[in-house]
């Protein structure tokens, strides 16, 4: 570590320099406070040892200047002085110094105080790194939420707005500063307010469909999800409202239903009526194409609550660890305060005098306090807590990056793809759908890169994995195996769920075919998967036995010149 010595007396400065270099540190010298300010501005100095009385600018003026400057780091300052009165020490610490050493200094005391300063600096650096990581993760999460088409609003218990995403701001208008902090009554109907207030009490999610007048275009429909967010004590601190305009989907569903009625009657009509059927089929295909385009973001919307839960868990234990670190710091500072009081009384005793009974008793109290707070455990557990915080923020980063891969529909392009990495990214996104029902066994082989649309293939994997999780209640297993076989990359995803009846296997890839309850599936997921694989000139197959499980096999060509030609890629 570079340590800056500020001392106008050359002899004292050389003695300090020699002592600190012997301790294994690099030394930078300065004769007064003004020179020290220039050095601090030019070099990343973290610790300063300065004399008090110096010409031009003394040590206390240097301290005040450093504390007033807006630096991007903390500088630990130790003041050297022959002054030892209480008023002198108060003046030193009021000027912003972190520690004080009486002249002439003791080598061992200097070494101990330098070690204390370095520990303080290390803790400060760790804190800043964790804070920067959390801020970066929060900004990334905000970017993801702003990219979602759903409106997302978080509210306090008093129904004031905590935060909103871009989709909500686009609908209501106004700057975020004008919205945050306002009452939600200005933006929500009474049923939503009632649901939010219930969620704070019951801690339960709620779902509703709101109907709003739409003028000449007919009523508009808004799907609302009310999601409570808990702290470590299971107290609801925020409620998140996720809203999606489903007017288009409901109208399209109504159109499809009307077209199906027409198809039933057209079957018994003459050839002239058959031409009307053809027109109706064309309209149906157009509507289906539009629904296929929206299915991807609809899937992300359905996973939003699970992703929020996945992020809430590591955020919770990072917050808890930071609170524990705060408690540890309080104990450590209390111990330091006892050492300082003991030192002050020892310094006030006559030189050469034996330790009095009062000082000996006070030293025994310090030793007892060290045992009480278990100082060795605090030192070891602090490192462990910081490691846990890093692990938590890394988990948040993986979840956010995985979700980000799905949240930008216009950014997918044909490029080399690592299938194994795509599977890992998808598993991060759907983890909350799977983890309570099944374990995932990975058997990934060494694969070459394939030229593909990565987001689209990840959607194929997501649809298969979510269906697998929904096919089992608990204690299930999903096995994923990848291999390079005969110029193809082969992905096999097998589950031990309930299986698919033989009569449904031939229809599994048909559009709008679903065995789920109304409102829980569009019947487009596997149809989309089939079309994506077909677009890549690959194959997708399924095998299933009732009560034993289902296996999907996806094969993508390693060399794919036909796909390159179709997309205009070389």
């Amino acid at each position: 570590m570079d340590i800056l010595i500020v001392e106008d007396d050359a002899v004292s400065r050389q003695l300090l320099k020699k002592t600190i270099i012997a301790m294994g540190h690099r030394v930078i010298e300065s004769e007064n406070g003004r020179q020290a300010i220039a050095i601090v501005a030019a070099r990343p100095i973290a610790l300063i040892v300065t004399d008090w009385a110096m010409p031009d600018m003394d040590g206390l003026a240097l301290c005040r200047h450093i504390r007033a400057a807006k630096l991007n780091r903390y500088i630990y300052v130790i003041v050297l002085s022959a002054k030892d009165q209480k008023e002198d020490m108060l003046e030193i610490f009021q000027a912003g110094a972190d520690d004080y050493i009486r002249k002439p200094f003791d080598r061992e005391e200097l070494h101990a105080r330098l070690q204390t300063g370095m520990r303080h600096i290390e803790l400060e650096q760790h804190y800043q790194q964790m804070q920067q990581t959390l801020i970066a993760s929060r900004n990334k999460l905000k970017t993801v939420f702003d990219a979602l088409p759903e409106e997302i609003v978080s509210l306090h218990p008093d129904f004031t707005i905590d935060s909103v995403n871009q989709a909500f701001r686009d609908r209501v208008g106004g700057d975020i500063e004008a919205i945050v902090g306002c009452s939600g009554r200005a933006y929500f109907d009474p049923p939503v307010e009632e649901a939010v207030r219930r969620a704070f009490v019951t801690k339960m999610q709620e779902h509703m469909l709101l109907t709003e007048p739409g003028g000449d275009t007919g009523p508009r429909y808004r799907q609302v999800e009310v999601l409570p967010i808990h702290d470590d004590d299971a107290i609801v601190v925020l409620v998140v409202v996720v809203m999606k305009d489903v007017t288009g989907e409901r109208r399209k569903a109504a159109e499809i239903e009307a077209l199906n009625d027409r198809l039933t009657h057209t079957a018994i009509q003459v050839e002239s009526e058959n031409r009307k059927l053809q027109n109706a089929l064309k309209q149906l295909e157009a509507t289906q194409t539009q629904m296929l385009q929206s299915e991807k973001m609809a899937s992300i919307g359905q996973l939003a609550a699970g992703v929020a839960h996945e992020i809430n868990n590591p955020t919770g234990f990072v917050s808890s660890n930071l609170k524990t670190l705060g408690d540890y710091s309080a104990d450590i500072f209390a111990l330091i305060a006892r050492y300082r009081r003991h030192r002050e009384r020892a310094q006030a005793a006559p030189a050469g005098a034996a330790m009095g009974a009062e000082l000996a008793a006070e030293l025994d109290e310090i030793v007892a306090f060290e045992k009480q707070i278990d100082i060795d455990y605090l030192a070891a557990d602090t490192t462990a807590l910081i490691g846990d915080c890093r692990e938590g923020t890394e988990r948040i980063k993986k979840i956010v990056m995985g979700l980000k891969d799905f949240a930008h529909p216009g950014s997918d392009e044909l490029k080399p793809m690592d299938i194994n990495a795509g599977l890992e990214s998808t598993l991060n996104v759907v983890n909350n759908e799977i983890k309570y029902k099944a374990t995932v066994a990975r058997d990934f082989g060494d694969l070459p890169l394939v030229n593909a649309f990565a987001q689209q293939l990840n959607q194929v994997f997501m649809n298969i994995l979510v269906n697998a999780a929904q096919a089992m209640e608990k204690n299930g297993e999903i096995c994923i195996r990848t291999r390079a076989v005969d110029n193809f990359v082969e992905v096999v995803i097998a589950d031990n769920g309930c299986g698919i009846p033989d009569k449904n296997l031939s229809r599994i890839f048909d559009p709008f075919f679903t065995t789920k309850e109304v409102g829980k599936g569009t019947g487009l997921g596997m149809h989309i998967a089939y079309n994506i694989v077909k677009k890549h000139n690959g194959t997708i197959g399924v095998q299933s036995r009732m009560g034993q499980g289902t296996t999907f096999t996806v094969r993508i060509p390693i060399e794919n010149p036909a796909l390159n030609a179709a997309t205009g890629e070389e």
Side-chain angles (χ1 to χ4, degrees):
M1 175 182 289
D2 292 338
I3 297 178
L4 174 60
I5 296 175
V6 188
E7 171 65 74
D8 60 318
D9 182 73
V11 174
S12 298
R13 188 168 64 250
Q14 289 303 313
L15 179 59
L16 262 176
K17 177 180 179 181
K18 181 178 179 182
T19 303
I20 293 175
I21 289 176
M23 296 176 186
H25 304 292
R26 295 183 298 274
V27 171
I28 302 164
E29 302 178 56
S30 173
E31 297 180 359
N32 57 58
R34 297 203 180 277
Q35 289 182 4
I37 289 173
I39 293 172
V40 167
R43 305 185 64 165
I45 300 297
L47 195 152
I48 297 175
V49 180
T50 179
D51 187 20
W52 181 343
M54 293 182 294
D56 197 9
M57 176 184 280
D58 64 20
L60 298 194
L62 172 61
C63 284
R64 295 187 188 98
H65 179 87
I66 289 174
R67 297 302 177 232
K70 295 181 178 179
L71 302 175
N72 59 358
R73 66 190 186 281
Y74 187 81
I75 299 179
Y76 195 89
V77 180
I78 301 176
V79 174
L80 286 170
S81 176
K83 300 179 181 181
D84 60 357
Q85 298 301 310
K86 178 180 179 181
E87 295 78 6
D88 298 327
M89 286 182 283
L90 284 175
E91 186 176 358
I92 288 173
F93 290 117
Q94 288 171 351
D98 296 286
D99 209 346
Y100 161 83
I101 300 178
R102 182 181 176 186
K103 284 186 174 182
F105 67 86
D106 179 80
R107 293 174 182 268
E108 293 183 358
E109 180 185 358
L110 175 62
H111 182 265
R113 294 188 182 278
L114 288 177
Q115 292 284 38
T116 298
M118 286 186 287
R119 287 194 297 271
H120 183 97
I121 292 168
E122 289 174 358
L123 287 173
E124 179 69 23
Q125 290 172 345
H126 283 310
Y127 171 77
Q128 290 181 356
Q129 290 171 359
M130 288 188 293
Q131 188 177 47
Q132 291 170 0
T133 301
L134 287 173
I135 291 172
S137 296
R138 180 173 181 176
N139 289 338
K140 291 175 182 177
L141 183 61
K142 180 181 181 299
T143 299
V144 172
F145 282 169
D146 280 343
L148 293 174
E150 289 79 8
E151 299 173 22
I152 302 176
V153 184
S154 59
L155 298 127
H156 294 291
D158 61 358
F159 206 60
T160 55
I161 295 176
D162 172 70
S163 65
V164 298
N165 73 338
Q166 186 64 47
F168 181 83
R169 297 198 299 272
D170 290 342
R171 182 175 68 86
V172 305
D175 298 330
I176 188 169
E177 292 80 7
I179 299 174
V180 172
C182 292
S183 172
R185 293 191 183 93
Y187 304 101
F188 295 103
D189 294 330
V192 177
E193 179 179 358
E194 294 169 3
V196 170
R197 295 193 184 280
R198 281 196 302 271
F200 277 107
V201 177
T202 65
K203 305 178 184 179
M204 301 292 291
Q205 300 181 12
E206 290 197 27
H207 315 273
M208 65 180 68
L209 182 68
L210 299 181
T211 304
E212 303 170 352
D216 296 338
T217 60
R220 302 197 65 82
Y221 303 94
R222 193 177 300 278
Q223 181 178 305
V224 180
E225 306 284 337
V226 180
L227 311 170
I229 304 298
H230 308 82
D231 63 9
D232 295 338
D233 298 322
I235 297 174
V236 179
V237 294
L238 288 173
V239 168
V240 175
V241 177
V242 181
M243 298 176 291
K244 179 183 178 183
D245 189 334
V246 294
T247 304
E249 294 178 10
R250 289 180 65 88
R251 289 176 180 172
K252 290 171 185 175
E255 291 175 11
I256 293 171
E257 184 177 355
L259 289 173
N260 284 333
D261 290 341
R262 290 177 61 185
L263 288 173
T264 301
H265 289 89
T266 303
I268 59 174
Q269 293 179 349
V270 295
E271 185 62 24
S272 60
E273 293 296 323
N274 193 48
R275 287 193 294 268
K276 295 181 181 179
L277 176 60
Q278 295 299 324
N279 293 333
L281 286 174
K282 290 180 180 179
Q283 294 181 36
L284 178 60
E285 290 172 357
T287 303
Q288 179 185 346
T289 300
Q290 295 175 9
M291 291 191 69
L292 294 180
Q293 297 298 324
S294 64
E295 173 71 10
K296 176 179 177 180
M297 293 313 295
S299 298
I300 292 297
Q302 292 171 3
L303 293 173
V307 172
H309 178 72
E310 285 293 293
I311 292 175
N312 193 43
N313 283 342
T315 301
F317 72 72
V318 168
S319 175
S320 175
N321 285 357
L322 290 177
K323 179 180 182 301
T324 302
L325 286 172
D327 295 340
Y328 288 178
S329 298
D331 287 340
I332 292 172
F333 289 145
L335 178 61
I336 292 173
R338 291 175 182 243
Y339 275 122
R340 286 180 175 173
R341 287 196 300 270
H342 184 72
R343 181 203 65 205
E344 291 168 2
R345 293 186 182 182
Q347 289 175 341
M355 181 183 294
E358 183 178 350
L359 288 177
E362 187 174 58
L363 185 58
D364 290 340
E365 288 179 2
I366 292 173
V367 173
F369 186 69
E370 283 186 346
K371 293 180 179 179
Q372 176 186 336
I373 66 174
D374 198 349
I375 189 64
D376 293 334
Y377 173 78
L378 292 190
D381 197 40
T382 296
T383 301
L385 289 176
I386 292 172
D388 289 344
C389 289
R390 286 178 173 172
E391 180 183 349
T393 54
E394 186 64 27
R395 282 177 58 190
I396 295 174
K397 177 181 177 182
K398 288 182 179 179
I399 295 168
V400 171
M401 292 304 294
L403 186 58
K404 185 178 179 182
D405 288 341
F406 287 90
H408 294 280
S411 63
D412 203 10
E413 59 184 16
L414 187 65
K415 59 184 178 181
M417 176 188 180
D418 182 344
I419 295 290
N420 288 340
L423 285 164
E424 287 292 356
S425 175
T426 304
L427 285 169
N428 282 333
V429 174
V430 302
N431 181 55
N432 197 69
E433 293 289 319
I434 296 175
K435 67 179 182 180
Y436 298 112
K437 297 182 177 182
T439 59
V440 177
R442 298 167 174 80
D443 181 12
F444 291 172
D446 293 330
L447 302 180
L449 298 179
V450 298
N451 222 25
F453 293 96
Q455 289 185 13
Q456 295 182 22
L457 286 185
N458 286 347
Q459 187 177 1
V460 172
F461 303 145
M462 181 178 70
N463 290 349
I464 296 173
L465 289 168
V466 170
N467 283 346
Q470 293 173 346
M472 46 187 100
E473 294 293 332
K474 60 181 180 179
N475 300 326
E477 183 177 17
I478 299 174
C479 299
I480 306 175
R481 181 174 63 86
T482 62
R483 294 289 188 271
V485 181
D486 298 333
N487 296 319
F488 283 82
V489 166
E490 184 177 84
V491 179
V492 179
I493 301 177
D495 66 71
N496 60 352
C498 61
I500 303 171
D502 291 340
K503 65 179 182 179
N504 292 336
L505 274 178
S506 62
R507 305 175 61 197
I508 196 73
F509 298 115
D510 290 350
F512 307 110
F513 174 75
T514 179
T515 58
K516 299 176 185 176
E517 299 176 12
V518 176
K520 293 189 177 181
T522 62
L524 293 174
M526 295 315 300
H527 179 65
I528 289 175
Y530 176 83
N531 286 338
I532 290 173
V533 174
K534 184 177 179 181
K535 175 181 177 180
H536 285 78
N537 300 310
T539 62
I540 180 171
V542 57
Q543 295 177 325
S544 184
R545 295 191 66 178
M546 291 298 295
Q548 296 186 17
T550 303
T551 300
F552 281 88
T553 302
V554 178
R555 289 166 58 89
I556 302 297
I558 297 173
E559 299 293 337
N560 208 341
L563 178 62
N564 296 343
T567 56
E569 299 285 342
E570 294 296 332

